[in-house]
Amino acid sequence: MTGDIARIDGSTGGGRTFRYFDFMMAAFVTILLLSNVIGAGKVAVVNLPGIGPWPFGAGVLFFPVSYVLGDVLTEVYGYAHARRCIWAGFAAMLFLAFMSWVVVALPPAADWGNQAAYEAVFGQVPRIVFASIAAFWAGEFVNSFVLAKMKIWTQGRMLWTRTIGSTVFGEGVDSALFYPLAFLGATGWTTELVITVALTQWGIKTLWEAVLTPVTYGIVGFLKRREGVDVFDTDTDFSPFRIGAKGR
């Protein structure tokens, strides 16, 4: 169905089979894995006019995109479908963490001299892994819940208010959990530094959401027209502890 958008109350999607949902789930999980593999371990630097070198975690380039995709999933397909994607991402992150530990722990061949470099890139501190997974899980569910509720309150108008508003809450929960769980009490991390970094990352991630608003509008508009639905979570069971894509 193209150009004929039907309002669906509840997260079942009216029993429809969606054409692009699987692609969106794949993109969501891919971004999560990228942010944890090639972004989380590197501290980059950018020269800011009048300030000078400013260090930042490279993962900030990837991870906020998962919130954009989470917003799109909830806006187009409803909370229950977004919940399914969050659990898929959660499982993928657990598997990534486990396999990274297994591969790093395997004894290297005697003539292979890259073990130290491999450990530096893929070796993961259990505390940070736990913090990352817990913060992602809680933050994404808060993000999806807030957006679904705001969509009802705004009657589907002013998409930007709920994409940015839900990110403020979702990324706020994510940062508030991750940095204390990962670094509070760790060597070199004072309480003040943990709070400062958490607030800085929260602000940057929220700003990313605002900057990407035109992209979000484009993706949401395309998917709603192609799928032919606009889901409102008026009768949805918002418990995060469900896997199915049905709202009740």
Side-chain angles (χ1 to χ4, degrees):
M1 182 180 295
T2 303
D4 183 13
I5 303 175
R7 169 171 172 154
I8 303 295
D9 291 307
S11 292
T12 62
R16 299 170 186 244
T17 299
F18 295 119
R19 299 168 59 186
Y20 295 95
F21 175 73
D22 292 344
F23 294 109
M24 292 300 298
M25 177 185 285
F28 180 78
V29 174
T30 298
I31 291 297
L32 287 177
L33 297 183
L34 282 175
S35 66
N36 281 272
V37 172
I38 66 177
K42 181 172 182 176
V43 178
V45 66
V46 61
N47 286 309
L48 298 177
I51 298 178
W54 185 273
F56 66 95
V60 77
L61 299 176
F62 293 93
F63 188 67
V65 180
S66 71
Y67 276 79
V68 173
L69 294 178
D71 289 343
V72 171
L73 285 162
T74 305
E75 174 69 24
V76 177
Y77 301 104
Y79 176 87
H81 281 79
R83 174 174 57 199
R84 191 170 181 84
C85 291
I86 294 171
W87 277 111
F90 181 78
M93 290 176 69
L94 285 177
F95 183 71
L96 171 66
F98 174 71
M99 290 309 302
S100 296
W101 173 79
V102 169
V103 174
V104 169
L106 288 174
D111 58 348
W112 190 68
N114 297 317
Q115 180 66 15
Y118 204 84
E119 290 176 357
V121 175
F122 293 103
Q124 302 183 61
V125 179
R127 177 181 176 180
I128 295 179
V129 172
F130 168 76
S132 177
I133 294 175
F136 154 75
W137 187 87
E140 283 288 354
F141 271 117
V142 168
N143 181 74
S144 185
F145 174 82
V146 171
L147 188 141
K149 288 296 187 180
M150 288 187 68
K151 184 174 183 179
I152 297 172
W153 299 337
T154 60
Q155 290 297 304
R157 298 186 297 270
M158 298 182 295
L159 173 61
W160 65 272
T161 61
R162 52 187 179 275
T163 57
I164 297 176
S166 64
T167 298
V168 168
F169 285 96
E171 290 285 13
V173 169
D174 185 283
S175 297
L177 285 177
F178 175 73
Y179 290 97
L181 288 175
F183 302 114
L184 192 62
T187 303
W189 285 83
T190 63
T191 300
E192 182 181 0
L193 180 60
V194 170
I195 295 174
T196 300
V197 173
L199 290 175
T200 300
Q201 294 295 92
W202 179 32
I204 292 174
K205 292 173 182 178
T206 303
L207 180 61
W208 251 121
E209 176 75 47
V211 169
L212 292 174
T213 295
V215 177
T216 304
Y217 266 79
I219 297 174
V220 166
F222 171 83
L223 289 174
K224 284 184 178 180
R225 289 191 300 271
R226 293 289 181 172
E227 304 287 21
V229 296
D230 190 8
V231 177
F232 285 74
D233 288 291
T234 53
D235 59 352
T236 297
D237 178 357
F238 285 98
S239 169
F241 301 105
R242 298 187 60 174
I243 305 297
K246 291 190 175 181
R248 299 185 181 185

